[in-house]
mmCIF file of all heavy atoms in Angstrom:
data_model
loop_
_atom_site.group_PDB
_atom_site.id
_atom_site.type_symbol
_atom_site.label_atom_id
_atom_site.label_comp_id
_atom_site.label_asym_id
_atom_site.label_seq_id
_atom_site.Cartn_x
_atom_site.Cartn_y
_atom_site.Cartn_z
ATOM 1 N N HIS A 1 -57.051 25.926 11.912
ATOM 2 C CA HIS A 1 -57.896 25.041 12.713
ATOM 3 C C HIS A 1 -57.203 24.693 14.036
ATOM 4 O O HIS A 1 -57.812 24.728 15.092
ATOM 5 C CB HIS A 1 -58.203 23.775 11.901
ATOM 6 C CG HIS A 1 -59.011 22.768 12.653
ATOM 7 N ND1 HIS A 1 -60.279 23.042 13.119
ATOM 8 C CD2 HIS A 1 -58.736 21.494 13.037
ATOM 9 C CE1 HIS A 1 -60.744 21.978 13.750
ATOM 10 N NE2 HIS A 1 -59.840 21.026 13.707
ATOM 11 N N GLN A 2 -55.910 24.406 13.976
ATOM 12 C CA GLN A 2 -55.159 24.041 15.194
ATOM 13 C C GLN A 2 -55.108 25.214 16.158
ATOM 14 O O GLN A 2 -55.281 25.053 17.346
ATOM 15 C CB GLN A 2 -53.737 23.617 14.821
ATOM 16 C CG GLN A 2 -53.682 22.209 14.272
ATOM 17 C CD GLN A 2 -52.311 21.846 13.766
ATOM 18 O OE1 GLN A 2 -51.410 22.672 13.754
ATOM 19 N NE2 GLN A 2 -52.151 20.632 13.325
ATOM 20 N N LYS A 3 -54.857 26.432 15.621
ATOM 21 C CA LYS A 3 -54.765 27.615 16.481
ATOM 22 C C LYS A 3 -56.098 27.854 17.192
ATOM 23 O O LYS A 3 -56.124 28.172 18.365
ATOM 24 C CB LYS A 3 -54.398 28.853 15.649
ATOM 25 C CG LYS A 3 -52.913 28.927 15.345
ATOM 26 C CD LYS A 3 -52.599 30.160 14.536
ATOM 27 C CE LYS A 3 -51.121 30.185 14.169
ATOM 28 N NZ LYS A 3 -50.824 31.147 13.122
ATOM 29 N N GLN A 4 -57.201 27.672 16.455
ATOM 30 C CA GLN A 4 -58.519 27.864 17.057
ATOM 31 C C GLN A 4 -58.743 26.841 18.175
ATOM 32 O O GLN A 4 -59.221 27.182 19.235
ATOM 33 C CB GLN A 4 -59.616 27.714 15.998
ATOM 34 C CG GLN A 4 -59.712 28.920 15.092
ATOM 35 C CD GLN A 4 -60.584 28.670 13.877
ATOM 36 O OE1 GLN A 4 -60.972 27.537 13.605
ATOM 37 N NE2 GLN A 4 -60.875 29.718 13.138
ATOM 38 N N ARG A 5 -58.368 25.580 17.926
ATOM 39 C CA ARG A 5 -58.533 24.525 18.943
ATOM 40 C C ARG A 5 -57.719 24.852 20.179
ATOM 41 O O ARG A 5 -58.180 24.739 21.291
ATOM 42 C CB ARG A 5 -58.061 23.172 18.388
ATOM 43 C CG ARG A 5 -59.137 22.489 17.588
ATOM 44 C CD ARG A 5 -58.670 21.132 17.197
ATOM 45 N NE ARG A 5 -58.442 20.325 18.401
ATOM 46 C CZ ARG A 5 -58.557 19.020 18.431
ATOM 47 N NH1 ARG A 5 -58.900 18.366 17.350
ATOM 48 N NH2 ARG A 5 -58.325 18.343 19.524
ATOM 49 N N LYS A 6 -56.471 25.286 19.978
ATOM 50 C CA LYS A 6 -55.564 25.578 21.087
ATOM 51 C C LYS A 6 -56.114 26.749 21.912
ATOM 52 O O LYS A 6 -56.167 26.691 23.127
ATOM 53 C CB LYS A 6 -54.179 25.911 20.524
ATOM 54 C CG LYS A 6 -53.100 26.016 21.576
ATOM 55 C CD LYS A 6 -51.755 26.261 20.914
ATOM 56 C CE LYS A 6 -50.688 26.519 21.936
ATOM 57 N NZ LYS A 6 -49.421 26.892 21.327
ATOM 58 N N ALA A 7 -56.567 27.798 21.219
ATOM 59 C CA ALA A 7 -57.082 28.981 21.904
ATOM 60 C C ALA A 7 -58.319 28.616 22.732
ATOM 61 O O ALA A 7 -58.436 29.005 23.887
ATOM 62 C CB ALA A 7 -57.420 30.062 20.890
ATOM 63 N N THR A 8 -59.215 27.853 22.182
ATOM 64 C CA THR A 8 -60.431 27.439 22.877
ATOM 65 C C THR A 8 -60.071 26.604 24.109
ATOM 66 O O THR A 8 -60.623 26.792 25.180
ATOM 67 C CB THR A 8 -61.328 26.595 21.942
ATOM 68 O OG1 THR A 8 -61.509 27.321 20.736
ATOM 69 C CG2 THR A 8 -62.676 26.323 22.564
ATOM 70 N N PHE A 9 -59.097 25.701 23.922
ATOM 71 C CA PHE A 9 -58.670 24.813 24.997
ATOM 72 C C PHE A 9 -58.121 25.629 26.164
ATOM 73 O O PHE A 9 -58.480 25.419 27.306
ATOM 74 C CB PHE A 9 -57.602 23.852 24.464
ATOM 75 C CG PHE A 9 -57.076 22.912 25.509
ATOM 76 C CD1 PHE A 9 -57.844 21.845 25.944
ATOM 77 C CD2 PHE A 9 -55.817 23.088 26.063
ATOM 78 C CE1 PHE A 9 -57.368 20.977 26.907
ATOM 79 C CE2 PHE A 9 -55.338 22.226 27.024
ATOM 80 C CZ PHE A 9 -56.119 21.161 27.445
ATOM 81 N N ILE A 10 -57.280 26.614 25.908
ATOM 82 C CA ILE A 10 -56.651 27.411 26.965
ATOM 83 C C ILE A 10 -57.687 28.281 27.664
ATOM 84 O O ILE A 10 -57.719 28.369 28.876
ATOM 85 C CB ILE A 10 -55.487 28.257 26.384
ATOM 86 C CG1 ILE A 10 -54.331 27.327 25.997
ATOM 87 C CG2 ILE A 10 -55.012 29.311 27.382
ATOM 88 C CD1 ILE A 10 -53.254 27.968 25.170
ATOM 89 N N LYS A 11 -58.594 28.891 26.895
ATOM 90 C CA LYS A 11 -59.622 29.761 27.482
ATOM 91 C C LYS A 11 -60.533 28.985 28.442
ATOM 92 O O LYS A 11 -60.966 29.508 29.433
ATOM 93 C CB LYS A 11 -60.482 30.376 26.370
ATOM 94 C CG LYS A 11 -59.849 31.567 25.708
ATOM 95 C CD LYS A 11 -60.776 32.086 24.621
ATOM 96 C CE LYS A 11 -59.995 32.915 23.621
ATOM 97 N NZ LYS A 11 -60.745 33.139 22.390
ATOM 98 N N SER A 12 -60.826 27.750 28.113
ATOM 99 C CA SER A 12 -61.769 26.980 28.927
ATOM 100 C C SER A 12 -61.130 26.439 30.212
ATOM 101 O O SER A 12 -61.818 25.950 31.081
ATOM 102 C CB SER A 12 -62.347 25.819 28.111
ATOM 103 O OG SER A 12 -61.321 24.903 27.817
ATOM 104 N N LYS A 13 -59.828 26.528 30.348
ATOM 105 C CA LYS A 13 -59.123 26.028 31.532
ATOM 106 C C LYS A 13 -59.165 27.064 32.653
ATOM 107 O O LYS A 13 -58.930 28.241 32.423
ATOM 108 C CB LYS A 13 -57.652 25.770 31.192
ATOM 109 C CG LYS A 13 -57.269 24.327 30.913
ATOM 110 C CD LYS A 13 -57.664 23.429 32.001
ATOM 111 C CE LYS A 13 -56.960 22.114 32.005
ATOM 112 N NZ LYS A 13 -57.673 21.165 32.835
ATOM 113 N N ASN A 14 -59.448 26.622 33.862
ATOM 114 C CA ASN A 14 -59.334 27.505 35.026
ATOM 115 C C ASN A 14 -57.949 27.305 35.620
ATOM 116 O O ASN A 14 -57.552 26.187 35.907
ATOM 117 C CB ASN A 14 -60.395 27.140 36.079
ATOM 118 C CG ASN A 14 -61.784 27.498 35.600
ATOM 119 O OD1 ASN A 14 -61.940 28.494 34.914
ATOM 120 N ND2 ASN A 14 -62.778 26.677 35.955
ATOM 121 N N LEU A 15 -57.218 28.404 35.766
ATOM 122 C CA LEU A 15 -55.867 28.309 36.327
ATOM 123 C C LEU A 15 -55.900 28.903 37.732
ATOM 124 O O LEU A 15 -55.894 30.113 37.910
ATOM 125 C CB LEU A 15 -54.876 29.072 35.437
ATOM 126 C CG LEU A 15 -54.811 28.574 33.985
ATOM 127 C CD1 LEU A 15 -53.948 29.506 33.151
ATOM 128 C CD2 LEU A 15 -54.252 27.171 33.912
ATOM 129 N N PRO A 16 -55.960 28.042 38.764
ATOM 130 C CA PRO A 16 -56.167 28.529 40.135
ATOM 131 C C PRO A 16 -55.048 29.403 40.699
ATOM 132 O O PRO A 16 -55.300 30.477 41.179
ATOM 133 C CB PRO A 16 -56.348 27.257 40.959
ATOM 134 C CG PRO A 16 -55.887 26.128 40.105
ATOM 135 C CD PRO A 16 -55.866 26.599 38.692
ATOM 136 N N ASN A 17 -53.783 28.948 40.641
ATOM 137 C CA ASN A 17 -52.710 29.795 41.178
ATOM 138 C C ASN A 17 -51.406 29.520 40.446
ATOM 139 O O ASN A 17 -51.307 28.582 39.671
ATOM 140 C CB ASN A 17 -52.553 29.594 42.701
ATOM 141 C CG ASN A 17 -52.218 28.158 43.035
ATOM 142 O OD1 ASN A 17 -51.356 27.558 42.377
ATOM 143 N ND2 ASN A 17 -52.888 27.586 44.035
ATOM 144 N N SER A 18 -50.394 30.327 40.712
ATOM 145 C CA SER A 18 -49.148 30.247 39.939
ATOM 146 C C SER A 18 -48.390 28.939 40.168
ATOM 147 O O SER A 18 -47.725 28.456 39.282
ATOM 148 C CB SER A 18 -48.246 31.449 40.258
ATOM 149 O OG SER A 18 -47.944 31.444 41.640
ATOM 150 N N SER A 19 -48.487 28.333 41.374
ATOM 151 C CA SER A 19 -47.754 27.077 41.596
ATOM 152 C C SER A 19 -48.348 25.947 40.750
ATOM 153 O O SER A 19 -47.633 25.113 40.227
ATOM 154 C CB SER A 19 -47.732 26.700 43.085
ATOM 155 O OG SER A 19 -49.059 26.444 43.503
ATOM 156 N N THR A 20 -49.686 25.910 40.630
ATOM 157 C CA THR A 20 -50.325 24.891 39.778
ATOM 158 C C THR A 20 -49.982 25.167 38.319
ATOM 159 O O THR A 20 -49.763 24.255 37.543
ATOM 160 C CB THR A 20 -51.862 24.921 39.952
ATOM 161 O OG1 THR A 20 -52.155 25.007 41.336
ATOM 162 C CG2 THR A 20 -52.505 23.691 39.342
ATOM 163 N N LEU A 21 -49.938 26.440 37.948
ATOM 164 C CA LEU A 21 -49.646 26.836 36.570
ATOM 165 C C LEU A 21 -48.288 26.296 36.127
ATOM 166 O O LEU A 21 -48.158 25.752 35.049
ATOM 167 C CB LEU A 21 -49.682 28.374 36.443
ATOM 168 C CG LEU A 21 -49.413 28.953 35.068
ATOM 169 C CD1 LEU A 21 -50.540 28.551 34.116
ATOM 170 C CD2 LEU A 21 -49.309 30.463 35.111
ATOM 171 N N LYS A 22 -47.282 26.383 37.006
ATOM 172 C CA LYS A 22 -45.946 25.885 36.657
ATOM 173 C C LYS A 22 -45.958 24.389 36.392
ATOM 174 O O LYS A 22 -45.247 23.898 35.546
ATOM 175 C CB LYS A 22 -44.952 26.214 37.777
ATOM 176 C CG LYS A 22 -44.517 27.664 37.762
ATOM 177 C CD LYS A 22 -43.624 27.978 38.932
ATOM 178 C CE LYS A 22 -43.388 29.473 39.012
ATOM 179 N NZ LYS A 22 -42.751 29.882 40.243
ATOM 180 N N LYS A 23 -46.796 23.657 37.120
ATOM 181 C CA LYS A 23 -46.859 22.204 36.933
ATOM 182 C C LYS A 23 -47.610 21.844 35.653
ATOM 183 O O LYS A 23 -47.260 20.898 34.987
ATOM 184 C CB LYS A 23 -47.558 21.542 38.126
ATOM 185 C CG LYS A 23 -46.712 21.555 39.380
ATOM 186 C CD LYS A 23 -47.492 21.003 40.540
ATOM 187 C CE LYS A 23 -46.746 21.229 41.840
ATOM 188 N NZ LYS A 23 -47.554 20.925 43.010
ATOM 189 N N THR A 24 -48.679 22.589 35.327
ATOM 190 C CA THR A 24 -49.514 22.194 34.190
ATOM 191 C C THR A 24 -49.014 22.707 32.844
ATOM 192 O O THR A 24 -49.218 22.054 31.848
ATOM 193 C CB THR A 24 -50.979 22.666 34.384
ATOM 194 O OG1 THR A 24 -50.968 24.081 34.539
ATOM 195 C CG2 THR A 24 -51.638 21.982 35.542
ATOM 196 N N VAL A 25 -48.328 23.831 32.806
ATOM 197 C CA VAL A 25 -47.931 24.402 31.502
ATOM 198 C C VAL A 25 -47.038 23.476 30.685
ATOM 199 O O VAL A 25 -47.343 23.233 29.532
ATOM 200 C CB VAL A 25 -47.303 25.812 31.667
ATOM 201 C CG1 VAL A 25 -46.611 26.258 30.390
ATOM 202 C CG2 VAL A 25 -48.384 26.802 32.046
ATOM 203 N N PRO A 26 -45.945 22.891 31.258
ATOM 204 C CA PRO A 26 -45.129 22.001 30.408
ATOM 205 C C PRO A 26 -45.936 20.847 29.831
ATOM 206 O O PRO A 26 -45.782 20.497 28.694
ATOM 207 C CB PRO A 26 -44.040 21.485 31.361
ATOM 208 C CG PRO A 26 -43.987 22.511 32.448
ATOM 209 C CD PRO A 26 -45.377 23.040 32.591
ATOM 210 N N LYS A 27 -46.851 20.285 30.635
ATOM 211 C CA LYS A 27 -47.662 19.168 30.130
ATOM 212 C C LYS A 27 -48.549 19.639 28.979
ATOM 213 O O LYS A 27 -48.645 19.002 27.942
ATOM 214 C CB LYS A 27 -48.510 18.598 31.271
ATOM 215 C CG LYS A 27 -49.265 17.357 30.865
ATOM 216 C CD LYS A 27 -50.126 16.859 31.990
ATOM 217 C CE LYS A 27 -50.986 15.705 31.507
ATOM 218 N NZ LYS A 27 -52.073 15.409 32.378
ATOM 219 N N LYS A 28 -49.198 20.783 29.137
ATOM 220 C CA LYS A 28 -50.098 21.293 28.109
ATOM 221 C C LYS A 28 -49.306 21.715 26.872
ATOM 222 O O LYS A 28 -49.789 21.619 25.773
ATOM 223 C CB LYS A 28 -50.919 22.492 28.627
ATOM 224 C CG LYS A 28 -51.839 22.163 29.772
ATOM 225 C CD LYS A 28 -52.841 21.087 29.396
ATOM 226 C CE LYS A 28 -53.631 20.612 30.580
ATOM 227 N NZ LYS A 28 -54.119 19.275 30.462
ATOM 228 N N ALA A 29 -48.097 22.187 27.054
ATOM 229 C CA ALA A 29 -47.284 22.621 25.913
ATOM 230 C C ALA A 29 -46.904 21.443 25.028
ATOM 231 O O ALA A 29 -46.704 21.601 23.844
ATOM 232 C CB ALA A 29 -46.030 23.335 26.398
ATOM 233 N N ARG A 30 -46.808 20.249 25.648
ATOM 234 C CA ARG A 30 -46.438 19.067 24.864
ATOM 235 C C ARG A 30 -47.589 18.583 23.985
ATOM 236 O O ARG A 30 -47.383 18.034 22.940
ATOM 237 C CB ARG A 30 -45.995 17.929 25.773
ATOM 238 C CG ARG A 30 -44.544 18.035 26.184
ATOM 239 C CD ARG A 30 -44.060 16.718 26.743
ATOM 240 N NE ARG A 30 -44.856 16.250 27.868
ATOM 241 C CZ ARG A 30 -44.638 16.590 29.130
ATOM 242 N NH1 ARG A 30 -43.678 17.410 29.444
ATOM 243 N NH2 ARG A 30 -45.403 16.087 30.075
ATOM 244 N N GLU A 31 -48.833 18.777 24.452
ATOM 245 C CA GLU A 31 -49.987 18.201 23.748
ATOM 246 C C GLU A 31 -50.127 18.630 22.291
ATOM 247 O O GLU A 31 -50.287 17.793 21.437
ATOM 248 C CB GLU A 31 -51.265 18.463 24.513
ATOM 249 C CG GLU A 31 -51.385 17.519 25.706
ATOM 250 C CD GLU A 31 -52.624 17.783 26.519
ATOM 251 O OE1 GLU A 31 -53.487 18.549 26.066
ATOM 252 O OE2 GLU A 31 -52.718 17.224 27.614
ATOM 253 N N PRO A 32 -50.035 19.943 21.974
ATOM 254 C CA PRO A 32 -50.170 20.307 20.554
ATOM 255 C C PRO A 32 -49.115 19.650 19.676
ATOM 256 O O PRO A 32 -49.394 19.253 18.574
ATOM 257 C CB PRO A 32 -50.020 21.828 20.563
ATOM 258 C CG PRO A 32 -50.380 22.243 21.951
ATOM 259 C CD PRO A 32 -49.936 21.103 22.830
ATOM 260 N N ARG A 33 -47.868 19.513 20.202
ATOM 261 C CA ARG A 33 -46.798 18.880 19.413
ATOM 262 C C ARG A 33 -47.151 17.427 19.122
ATOM 263 O O ARG A 33 -46.973 16.942 18.026
ATOM 264 C CB ARG A 33 -45.461 18.977 20.136
ATOM 265 C CG ARG A 33 -44.713 20.267 19.849
ATOM 266 C CD ARG A 33 -43.245 20.089 20.121
ATOM 267 N NE ARG A 33 -42.963 19.854 21.518
ATOM 268 C CZ ARG A 33 -42.805 20.815 22.425
ATOM 269 N NH1 ARG A 33 -42.926 22.069 22.087
ATOM 270 N NH2 ARG A 33 -42.529 20.511 23.656
#
């Protein structure tokens, strides 16, 4: 169930460019934990 939620969450996110990606990934990585 968690894997499905995580996959859906990531797919629905628009990632505009690599500089924004670096800022958002650590924050998003903390959420599942």
